[in-house]
Amino acid sequence: TAILGEWRRVEDIVAIICGSDGSLLMRMETASTPLRLRRFETTAWKAWKDGDLDPIYEVLFDGKNTLRVARPDGAEPFFLHRVAQTKTLLGRWASSASASGGLAAAEVAAVGAHTSELRLSAEPSRRRFRLVRRTLFSWEARAEPKSAGDGAVELVYVVEHTEGSDRVTFRRADAAAGDKGSVEMRRVGAVTSGAGEKAGSPVKPAPERSG
């Protein structure tokens, strides 16, 4: 459906995704349980919290790039505007410096065709995280839930990336920006020209550990 995707509310990102059972879900906050959307008109949905009898929002779609969200009585309306999903965060990334917080290389891939969520695979720990977009330029890397019914799961990294850039910063969630909990990576194969590097030489991926 055309309503699927990422939508901006000021600086925050609201995502509408397809759940594992095929239903539409609206994630208002990265750490919250998504709301369940039920269609009641061609371009209108109602949003429920699981377990509640009454909807908390009505969502109206203009058929293009804007959603109007309001309480069922029409109060407290706000608008969401469609944003393009990232293309340049996808791929393999590596750090040429010493790894910080045990992170030396990473790969970002799409979770599936009907979701805007991404998956991060970290090296050398080989841990996998679900990437959830928080703002236009940042994502949260959260540990994969142990079961589908789990609520918010551990936030481990904040990932910062500007669309079109060959750089990405991974910052531990409990670290301040710029301290030793942050590591900057370059896209594997990207041309670099920093100090101590030959212009035109690609960044090589960190070697994989055997066993």
Side-chain angles (χ1 to χ4, degrees):
T1 177
I3 199 174
L4 289 169
E6 295 174 335
W7 304 81
R8 178 173 57 85
R9 182 186 181 187
V10 190
E11 296 297 329
D12 296 330
I13 298 296
V14 174
I16 297 180
I17 61 176
C18 189
S20 57
D21 60 356
S23 62
L24 288 181
L25 304 174
M26 182 167 70
R27 189 185 59 242
M28 301 292 289
E29 298 177 0
T30 56
S32 65
T33 300
L35 304 176
R36 194 169 297 275
L37 292 177
R38 297 176 187 169
R39 197 174 208 156
F40 69 96
E41 291 181 8
T42 303
T43 58
W45 290 258
K46 292 183 179 181
W48 269 268
K49 285 184 178 179
D50 279 340
D52 285 1
L53 296 178
D54 299 316
I56 60 172
Y57 291 118
E58 288 188 357
V59 181
L60 303 179
F61 180 38
D62 70 352
K64 295 182 181 179
N65 299 309
T66 304
L67 299 176
R68 182 185 186 272
V69 183
R71 298 292 181 182
D73 61 0
E76 303 177 32
F78 58 90
F79 292 89
L80 304 176
H81 304 282
R82 190 189 298 276
V83 297
Q85 296 181 22
T86 181
K87 295 181 180 179
T88 59
L89 181 59
L90 298 169
R92 298 182 65 200
W93 303 87
S95 172
S96 57
S98 299
S100 176
L103 187 62
E107 183 171 5
V108 177
V111 171
H114 300 294
T115 177
S116 59
E117 292 180 314
L118 307 173
R119 180 171 285 120
L120 167 68
S121 300
E123 293 292 345
S125 67
R126 299 186 181 179
R127 288 189 68 184
R128 299 173 75 186
F129 305 92
R130 184 65 60 90
L131 278 182
V132 182
R133 198 170 192 174
R134 183 167 69 176
T135 69
L136 286 176
F137 307 110
S138 66
W139 289 255
E140 293 183 355
R142 292 182 173 271
E144 292 276 11
K146 293 181 180 179
S147 66
D150 286 352
V153 291
E154 179 190 9
L155 171 60
V156 182
Y157 295 105
V158 174
V159 181
E160 297 168 347
H161 173 71
T162 300
E163 192 70 8
S165 170
D166 284 325
R167 296 172 183 263
V168 62
T169 298
F170 294 85
R171 176 166 53 85
R172 291 199 64 85
D174 57 359
D179 71 6
K180 293 182 179 179
S182 299
V183 58
E184 183 180 274
M185 294 189 188
R186 290 180 180 268
R187 185 182 307 283
V188 172
V191 174
T192 62
S193 57
E197 298 174 348
K198 265 189 189 177
S201 61
V203 175
K204 297 180 180 179
E208 296 184 359
R209 296 190 305 177
S210 59

